[in-house]
Amino acid sequence: MTQVRDVRAYLRSRTHGPASAIDRYVTVFGLAMLAAVAGRPISGVLAALDAPVDPVRMGAGLALLAVAFTGFLAAARAAGPVLMSPADAAWLLLSPLDRRKLLGRSALVIGLVALVAGLLLGVGLLGVLGAPDQLVWRVLAALVLGVSATVGGAALAVLGQSSPAWQIWLSGAMAALLVLAVVAVSGRLRTVPAVAAHAPLAAVTAAVAGAVAVSWLLARRAWASLDRIPARDLVASSARAGYAADATVGLDLSTFTWIAEDNHWRSRTLVSRRRPGVAAPLAPAWADWLRVIRRPGRLAVVAATAPLPAVLVQAGGSPTASAVAVLGGALAVAATAVSGARRDAGNPALARLLGLGLRPALAARAVLPAVLGGVWATAALLMLPVDGTWWLFGPLAAPALAAGALRMARRRPVDHSLPVLETGGGAIPVGPLLWAGTGVDLALLGCLPAFAALTTPDAAPGSYLLAQAVTGVAVLLGYLWRARTSRS
Amino acid sequence: MYDAIIDIRRLTVDLGGNPVLRGMDLRVSPGEIVAVVGQNGSGKSTLLRCVAGLHPGTSGEIRVFGEPRSDDARFWGRVGLLLDEPAWYPALTVREHLELMAAVHSSTRMTVDAALEEFALVERADAVPLNLSTGQRQRLSLAAALLRPSALLLLDEPERGLDAAFRARLADLLDAYAKEGGTVVMATHDPGLTARNRQVSPTGVAA
C-alpha cells in the first residue's frame, strides 16, 4: 500500500524547495524577536514571585485564567481541532491512505499550540499564586501544570471530534471552568488559592504527577481516535481552514466574520416572522435586530462578559487597563450587531435593490449597536468599584461606539499596496495597521472624555460627562454625514 | 459476496428541518450506470453524499458493497467521489495533480499520459489548474476520478462546464468504465447522459 510519507514527499518535492540559509535566518531571527518581546513581561512576573499576593487578587486572577482556558477549549472545538488543507482533503482524505498517519501532522500542530498555550497558562498561574519559596521547583510545577492542562484539553477536543460522548465531557469541562471562575471571583473559596500558593512541595509534586498522568492518557486516546474522525467532519473543517487561510494570507480578517455567520445560519431552521410596521429606513435595520433576537445564546455570552472589567480591576489591573476593557469590550459588543452594514458594504446589490438612501439606512442601523454597546458599558461600569454617576458614561458613549462599530464593519479590505515602514523597532506594514485602526479610531475619538475620566478615577466626572454627551453625538452625526461620500 | 453494489432502503434525510429524501429505495447492480435525475433541490446531491457517508441519513439503511458504509481506507480505495470542484494544490500543475493521484493509489486504470490524452489536456499539462477554464478544470477532475482504480464512481453533475462534444465523449468513457465492471451513480441534468442509462428520481417522479 502507498505510504503517507511517500505522498507527502512527492508534494514537498513539487511545492517547496529545500530551506535556504535565508529561510533559516528568518526563522531564527523571528524566534529571537519573539523571545525578546515576550521575555520582559515574563521576567517581570518571575521577579515579583516572592512578593506576598493579596487573596482577593488571587481569586480574580484565577477567574481570568479559568476564562482564558475556557476560551482556549472553545477555540479548539470551533477550529476542529484536527483539520487539513482543502487540497489535502480533496486529494488525500477520501483515498486508501492511512488516516491516522495522514492526520499526524495536524495532531503535531495541535500539540505545539497546546504547548505554547500551556506555558503561557503556567506563567499566568505563577503570576496569580506567586512562589513564596522553592522558586525553581514552583516555576517548573506551574509550567508543567499549564502544559498538562492545555494538552489534556486539546486531546479532549480531538476526542470530541470523533465521538459525541467526548463532546459532552468537553462541554462539561468548559462549564466547570466557568463555574470555577464565578466561584473564584465571588471570594467564597478565598482560602483555596492561598493554600495552593503555600502548598508543600510534596503536595505540588503529587498534583503535577496526577495532571501529567491524566493528560498523557487523554493524549494517547486522542492519538488512537484519529482514524475514527468521520470524513464528513474533516471535509467541513478543511473548508473552514481554507477560508481561514485565505483570510490570513490576505490579512482580511473580516472574512472570518462572514464564515462564522454563514456557517451559523446555514445549520439553523428558522420560522419567518412578521415584520413590525416600521418606516422604510428602519425596515432593513430590523434584520439586524432579528439576527440578535435569533441568537439568544450569543446575547447571554455577551451579557456574561460584562463583569470582566471588574474582575480585571480586582486582579490588580490599572485604571488604564480597566478603561480599555470597558470601552474596548463595549465596542466589541457593538460590533456584533452591525452585520447588515457589513453585508451592504461588501455586496451592495441588495441595498441598491431596496433603493434606500445610504444615510437614513446607516442611521437606522446605528440604533442596535448603540443600544447593545451602551447597555454593556453601563453594566460593566456599574460593577466597577467606583461610586456615583460613572455609569452614565455607558449611555453617553453609546453613539460613538455605534459609529466606531459601523465604520469597522464598512471598512475596505486591507490595502496591501501601501508601503512597509522600516523603523528602529522593526518593519511596520501600513496597510494592515490602517485596517486594524479603522473604526477603533472613531470610537476612541468619540469616547475620549470617558477614557480620560476612567483613567483618572479621582477626578469629578461632571465635566467629563458633559463633554462625553457632546462628543458622542457629534461623532455619530459626523460619521453619518461623511458616509455620503466615503465607504468607511 | 453481494448482489447489489448499493442497496438503499427507506432512506429519509432532513436538511435544516426540511425533508429532502423520504423513504427512498434504490438498488444498483455491479456494472450498471444510474442517472439520478430531478429538479433543483430534489435531493440528488444529498443522495450521493449519503451513499458516500458524507451526510448522515435521518432514518433508513444504506449498504455499499453488501455492508454498511465504513468510512475507512478500504472503502475509499474502492469508491471514487467527485462532488464539487476539488481544491487544487496551488503549486502543482495539471500533470502533477494526476501524478499525485497515481502516487496515492498503488495502481491506476490508465497512465497519466493516457489520461491527459483522453481528457484533451495534453496542451495544458504544465498549467496550474486555476489558469484553466471551468470546463478544463472539470475535465481534470474527471480525469483524476477515472485515472484511479475504483469499483464505484459517484459523480455530481459531471457535465458541469463541459462543451457538447466532450459530454458525448464522457458518456463513452463512463460506458467503458462500466464494461470493465465499474458501477456509476451520477446526478445529472444532461439529456445525453440520462438517455442512455437507467434513470431514478429521489422524489420517485421522473423529471
Side-chain angles (χ1 to χ4, degrees), chain A residues 23-38:
Chain A
D23 293 337
R24 291 197 192 95
Y25 167 76
V26 168
T27 307
V28 170
F29 184 76
L31 288 174
M33 282 299 289
L34 190 68
V37 170

Side-chain angles (χ1 to χ4, degrees), chain B residues 42-138:
Chain B
S42 61
K44 302 185 295 297
S45 303
T46 305
L47 174 64
L48 294 182
R49 285 180 176 277
C50 287
V51 173
L54 296 183
H55 197 287
T58 309
S59 64
E61 186 186 13
I62 301 177
R63 297 178 81 83
V64 183
F65 305 119
E67 54 195 40
R69 294 155 305 168
S70 49
D71 189 19
D72 56 14
R74 191 165 153 267
F75 178 83
W76 290 112
R78 294 194 285 174
V79 177
L81 176 70
L82 180 58
L83 297 176
D84 304 320
E85 180 178 330
W88 309 102
Y89 288 101
L92 257 55
T93 64
V94 167
R95 175 185 289 280
E96 286 168 341
H97 273 91
L98 295 179
E99 282 175 355
L100 173 65
M101 190 55 97
V104 169
H105 297 271
S106 45
S107 63
T108 53
R109 288 185 59 245
M110 59 182 100
T111 64
V112 169
D113 284 327
L116 289 169
E117 191 78 42
E118 288 276 18
F119 289 85
L121 290 166
V122 175
E123 289 178 6
R124 307 293 284 151
D126 293 326
V128 291
L130 290 177
N131 283 347
L132 302 181
S133 71
T134 308
Q136 285 172 326
R137 286 204 299 275
Q138 180 68 356

